Amino acid sequence: MQMEKKSYTFEEIKQKLVNYCVYQDRCHAEVEQKMREFLLIDEAKEEIILYLLKENYLNEERFTRSYIRGKFYIKHWGKTKIKMNLKQKQISERLINSCFDEIDDSDYENTIRKIFEGYYSKQIGLKEYQKKTKTIKHLMSKGFEYEKIIDIFE
Protein backbone atom coordinates (compact mmCIF):
# COMPACT_ATOMS: atom_id res chain seq x y z
CA MET A 1 0.00 0.00 0.00
CA GLN A 2 1.47 3.34 -1.06
CA MET A 3 1.67 5.76 1.85
CA GLU A 4 0.23 9.15 1.01
CA LYS A 5 3.03 11.73 1.24
CA LYS A 6 1.97 14.51 3.57
CA SER A 7 2.54 17.87 2.00
CA TYR A 8 4.24 20.61 3.95
CA THR A 9 4.61 24.31 3.35
CA PHE A 10 8.05 25.69 2.54
CA GLU A 11 8.30 27.11 6.07
CA GLU A 12 7.37 23.76 7.66
CA ILE A 13 10.01 21.98 5.61
CA LYS A 14 12.57 24.64 6.51
CA GLN A 15 11.73 24.18 10.20
CA LYS A 16 11.97 20.39 9.92
CA LEU A 17 15.45 20.76 8.45
CA VAL A 18 16.46 23.24 11.16
CA ASN A 19 15.34 20.69 13.77
CA TYR A 20 17.22 17.96 11.91
CA CYS A 21 20.43 20.02 12.12
CA VAL A 22 19.87 21.11 15.73
CA TYR A 23 19.38 17.53 16.91
CA GLN A 24 22.95 16.70 15.87
CA ASP A 25 25.58 18.19 13.59
CA ARG A 26 24.95 17.27 9.96
CA CYS A 27 26.93 17.53 6.75
CA HIS A 28 25.62 18.84 3.43
CA ALA A 29 25.15 15.34 2.04
CA GLU A 30 22.92 14.31 4.98
CA VAL A 31 20.80 17.45 4.67
CA GLU A 32 20.44 16.95 0.92
CA GLN A 33 19.48 13.31 1.53
CA LYS A 34 16.86 14.43 4.08
CA MET A 35 15.49 16.99 1.60
CA ARG A 36 14.69 14.18 -0.83
CA GLU A 37 11.84 13.23 1.51
CA PHE A 38 10.12 16.44 0.49
CA LEU A 39 9.11 17.41 -3.00
CA LEU A 40 11.13 20.57 -3.38
CA ILE A 41 12.23 22.44 -6.47
CA ASP A 42 15.95 23.15 -6.76
CA GLU A 43 15.53 26.83 -5.91
CA ALA A 44 13.77 25.94 -2.66
CA LYS A 45 16.49 23.43 -1.76
CA GLU A 46 19.14 26.04 -2.43
CA GLU A 47 17.33 28.64 -0.35
CA ILE A 48 17.05 26.25 2.60
CA ILE A 49 20.74 25.25 2.39
CA LEU A 50 21.78 28.91 2.28
CA TYR A 51 19.54 29.68 5.26
CA LEU A 52 20.97 26.75 7.28
CA LEU A 53 24.51 27.90 6.47
CA LYS A 54 23.83 31.57 7.20
CA GLU A 55 22.22 30.76 10.56
CA ASN A 56 25.04 28.31 11.33
CA TYR A 57 22.73 25.29 11.62
CA LEU A 58 24.83 23.68 8.91
CA ASN A 59 28.57 23.91 9.41
CA GLU A 60 30.76 21.38 7.64
CA GLU A 61 33.82 22.00 9.83
CA ARG A 62 31.86 21.70 13.07
CA PHE A 63 30.25 18.51 11.72
CA THR A 64 33.64 17.05 10.77
CA ARG A 65 35.19 17.90 14.14
CA SER A 66 32.33 16.40 16.14
CA TYR A 67 32.24 13.32 13.87
CA ILE A 68 35.98 12.74 14.38
CA ARG A 69 35.69 13.17 18.17
CA GLY A 70 32.72 10.83 18.41
CA LYS A 71 34.09 8.07 16.21
CA PHE A 72 37.46 8.12 17.96
CA TYR A 73 36.61 8.76 21.61
CA ILE A 74 33.34 6.79 21.70
CA LYS A 75 33.62 4.13 18.97
CA HIS A 76 37.45 3.86 19.09
CA TRP A 77 37.86 4.04 15.32
CA GLY A 78 41.23 4.80 13.78
CA LYS A 79 41.90 7.69 11.41
CA THR A 80 41.74 5.54 8.26
CA LYS A 81 38.19 4.38 8.98
CA ILE A 82 37.08 7.86 10.07
CA LYS A 83 38.51 9.42 6.90
CA MET A 84 36.87 6.78 4.69
CA ASN A 85 33.45 7.37 6.28
CA LEU A 86 33.77 11.16 6.05
CA LYS A 87 34.69 10.88 2.37
CA GLN A 88 31.49 8.88 1.83
CA LYS A 89 29.71 11.90 3.29
CA GLN A 90 31.46 14.05 0.64
CA ILE A 91 33.71 15.87 3.11
CA SER A 92 36.89 17.12 1.44
CA GLU A 93 40.22 15.50 2.31
CA ARG A 94 41.65 18.93 3.12
CA LEU A 95 38.92 19.59 5.70
CA ILE A 96 39.23 16.09 7.17
CA ASN A 97 43.00 16.41 7.58
CA SER A 98 42.76 19.87 9.12
CA CYS A 99 40.26 18.56 11.71
CA PHE A 100 42.28 15.55 12.86
CA ASP A 101 43.80 17.80 15.54
CA GLU A 102 40.61 16.90 17.47
CA ILE A 103 42.40 13.65 18.35
CA ASP A 104 45.23 14.00 20.82
CA ASP A 105 48.32 12.05 19.66
CA SER A 106 48.91 10.44 23.04
CA ASP A 107 45.21 9.46 23.28
CA TYR A 108 45.57 7.87 19.84
CA GLU A 109 48.60 5.82 20.87
CA ASN A 110 47.05 4.84 24.20
CA THR A 111 43.89 3.70 22.43
CA ILE A 112 45.89 1.53 20.01
CA ARG A 113 47.82 0.11 22.96
CA LYS A 114 44.67 -0.57 24.98
CA ILE A 115 42.81 -2.26 22.10
CA PHE A 116 45.94 -4.26 21.28
CA GLU A 117 46.37 -5.51 24.84
CA GLY A 118 42.69 -6.29 25.27
CA TYR A 119 42.37 -8.21 22.02
CA TYR A 120 45.79 -9.87 22.27
CA SER A 121 45.10 -11.25 25.75
CA LYS A 122 41.92 -12.96 24.47
CA GLN A 123 43.84 -14.94 21.80
CA ILE A 124 44.23 -18.25 23.57
CA GLY A 125 45.96 -21.36 22.27
CA LEU A 126 47.74 -19.57 19.43
CA LYS A 127 51.44 -19.16 18.77
CA GLU A 128 52.98 -15.79 19.61
CA TYR A 129 53.22 -14.63 15.99
CA GLN A 130 49.61 -15.75 15.29
CA LYS A 131 48.33 -13.73 18.25
CA LYS A 132 50.26 -10.68 17.07
CA THR A 133 49.09 -11.06 13.44
CA LYS A 134 45.43 -11.46 14.44
CA THR A 135 45.63 -8.48 16.77
CA ILE A 136 47.25 -6.26 14.12
CA LYS A 137 44.52 -7.30 11.64
CA HIS A 138 41.87 -6.44 14.25
CA LEU A 139 43.34 -2.97 14.83
CA MET A 140 43.56 -2.34 11.08
CA SER A 141 39.91 -3.33 10.69
CA LYS A 142 39.11 -0.63 13.26
CA GLY A 143 40.88 1.85 10.99
CA PHE A 144 44.27 2.22 12.66
CA GLU A 145 47.29 2.67 10.39
CA TYR A 146 49.69 -0.28 10.14
CA GLU A 147 52.73 1.99 10.70
CA LYS A 148 51.21 3.40 13.92
CA ILE A 149 50.38 -0.08 15.23
CA ILE A 150 53.88 -1.38 14.50
CA ASP A 151 55.56 1.76 15.95
CA ILE A 152 53.94 1.14 19.31
CA PHE A 153 55.22 -2.42 19.54
CA GLU A 154 58.73 -2.05 18.16
Side-chain angles (χ1 to χ4, degrees):
M1 188 174 103
Q2 179 76 40
M3 279 274 299
E4 194 56 45
K5 267 200 170 176
K6 182 173 178 344
S7 60
Y8 296 98
T9 66
F10 176 75
E11 284 307 315
E12 287 172 328
I13 294 170
K14 192 160 98 175
Q15 193 52 51
K16 282 183 174 298
L17 288 158
V18 164
N19 297 344
Y20 181 68
C21 292
V22 167
Y23 176 72
Q24 94 181 33
D25 278 323
R26 308 285 182 182
C27 64
H28 281 64
E30 290 170 331
V31 171
E32 283 169 25
Q33 179 62 49
K34 184 79 178 158
M35 275 195 219
R36 289 192 195 109
E37 294 174 15
F38 310 104
L39 302 167
L40 284 168
I41 57 169
D42 290 343
E43 287 81 356
K45 287 180 186 170
E46 235 167 84
E47 189 179 324
I48 292 175
I49 292 273
L50 287 171
Y51 173 79
L52 295 172
L53 286 167
K54 186 171 69 69
E55 298 300 324
N56 209 21
Y57 290 116
L58 187 56
N59 178 322
E60 206 93 301
E61 183 179 345
R62 186 181 61 217
F63 166 80
T64 304
R65 289 185 177 282
S66 88
Y67 188 91
I68 289 172
R69 280 193 310 274
K71 295 305 180 202
F72 174 69
Y73 288 102
I74 297 164
K75 295 259 197 237
H76 308 297
W77 286 7
K79 291 181 180 177
T80 312
K81 186 170 181 177
I82 294 172
K83 182 183 276 193
M84 207 174 60
N85 280 269
L86 282 167
K87 280 185 168 172
Q88 286 174 336
K89 294 180 178 294
Q90 292 145 28
I91 306 294
S92 75
E93 181 140 8
R94 193 178 55 78
L95 181 58
I96 297 169
N97 291 335
S98 74
C99 293
F100 268 133
D101 61 3
E102 287 295 325
I103 300 175
D104 181 74
D105 289 339
S106 66
D107 288 348
Y108 199 70
E109 284 171 23
N110 292 338
T111 298
I112 294 175
R113 196 169 278 118
K114 211 157 63 202
I115 295 172
F116 189 98
E117 287 160 3
Y119 192 85
Y120 187 84
S121 66
K122 291 188 186 107
Q123 305 305 310
I124 293 155
L126 296 172
K127 292 184 176 70
E128 188 59 36
Y129 79 91
Q130 292 172 311
K131 288 169 73 169
K132 196 169 179 179
T133 306
K134 271 193 87 160
T135 306
I136 290 169
K137 269 196 182 134
H138 174 69
L139 277 160
M140 287 180 69
S141 77
K142 290 189 69 68
F144 293 96
E145 309 87 322
Y146 182 74
E147 303 72 43
K148 288 264 188 220
I149 300 166
I150 296 307
D151 280 353
I152 288 175
F153 299 97
E154 286 308 289

